[in-house]
Amino acid sequence: RTFFLRGRGRRRGVTEAARKTTAMASTEVAKVAEDKSSAAGAPVSLGKGAWDCDNNCEIPPDKEAEVFEEIATMDFPYEGIPTIPPRKNMTHLAFFCNGCRYRVEAYPDWTANQVAEALWRGGIERANNPNGNTPGIRSAADIALIYAGQVMDPKKKLEEYNVPPGCKVMIAIERAKLEPGAKPDPDSAYWN
């Protein structure tokens, strides 16, 4: 028996209507965090938590699946099993950094530096490990972006790396951690 999975196809452009449609999701996330200062001061725990960089607030755990479009439906079932449908939000990217997921509005025609600036303004510095072996993220220039195993040049556009609109599988990491001879943080799984 042979099975074929339906492909999503590539969507090139992001329309203005799509940008306006997803503004509602950002507005809902902004309503959730009433006390941004206490959320911003909270430590990042590995494997948990999400942060909305557009509104500089925490995304509550019960809203994460909805915000990142990870709710399985029967729109495209696989052998009767619900699957996650193709994403509709093409205006927000998701980055993993030190165990936390960061959501930011960005587009494939932006440079990696523009995206790093948006992440910095949105609060990614909260991912700094005070007990780390590196100086930490002190500015947007300290952020390296990775997609498909490639460290992005800050001057190049995301589309030059074939980053699709609405990509949810990118990495933001402190640039110093990628330097030759850099050691993992003391609390890293590397030492286990």
Side-chain angles (χ1 to χ4, degrees):
R1 213 161 110 166
T2 306
F3 298 101
F4 296 95
L5 296 177
R6 190 178 304 201
R8 293 184 183 178
R10 294 192 61 164
R11 298 180 184 166
R12 281 284 173 195
V14 177
T15 64
E16 190 61 33
R19 291 178 188 193
K20 288 179 183 175
T21 304
T22 57
M24 287 188 346
S26 291
T27 306
E28 281 199 26
V29 171
K31 290 178 191 172
V32 174
E34 294 174 6
D35 186 7
K36 291 182 185 178
S37 59
S38 66
V44 177
S45 59
L46 292 176
K48 297 179 183 174
W51 192 260
D52 184 352
C53 290
D54 298 330
N55 299 302
N56 201 2
C57 67
E58 182 180 16
I59 298 171
D62 60 321
K63 295 285 184 193
E64 247 184 272
E66 181 182 340
V67 169
F68 290 102
E69 300 180 306
E70 298 171 335
I71 299 172
T73 67
M74 289 300 286
D75 292 348
F76 300 98
Y78 177 74
E79 291 190 347
I81 301 169
T83 60
I84 297 173
R87 62 184 172 267
K88 294 179 181 95
N89 182 337
M90 298 294 176
T91 61
H92 285 84
L93 303 178
F95 291 85
F96 290 91
C97 184
N98 285 355
C100 187
R101 188 161 40 168
Y102 293 85
R103 178 181 187 261
V104 66
E105 183 174 356
Y107 304 94
D109 61 348
W110 285 18
T111 63
N113 189 54
Q114 285 176 292
V115 177
E117 284 286 340
L119 287 166
W120 174 253
R121 284 190 314 272
I124 200 166
E125 76 275 2
R126 68 189 285 277
N128 282 334
N129 183 349
N131 302 317
N133 290 330
T134 56
I137 300 172
R138 297 168 295 189
S139 72
D142 294 334
I143 300 171
L145 304 179
I146 300 173
Y147 175 71
Q150 295 180 319
V151 178
M152 297 183 187
D153 181 332
K155 296 176 189 138
K156 288 189 175 181
K157 294 182 177 188
L158 272 60
E159 62 193 1
E160 294 179 50
Y161 293 95
N162 298 316
V163 175
C167 183
K168 306 288 188 249
V169 292
M170 300 182 74
I171 296 172
I173 188 169
E174 181 185 347
R175 193 170 295 282
K177 291 182 178 180
L178 300 176
E179 299 296 324
K183 291 183 179 177
D185 291 332
D187 61 349
S188 170
Y190 172 83
W191 302 110
N192 292 340

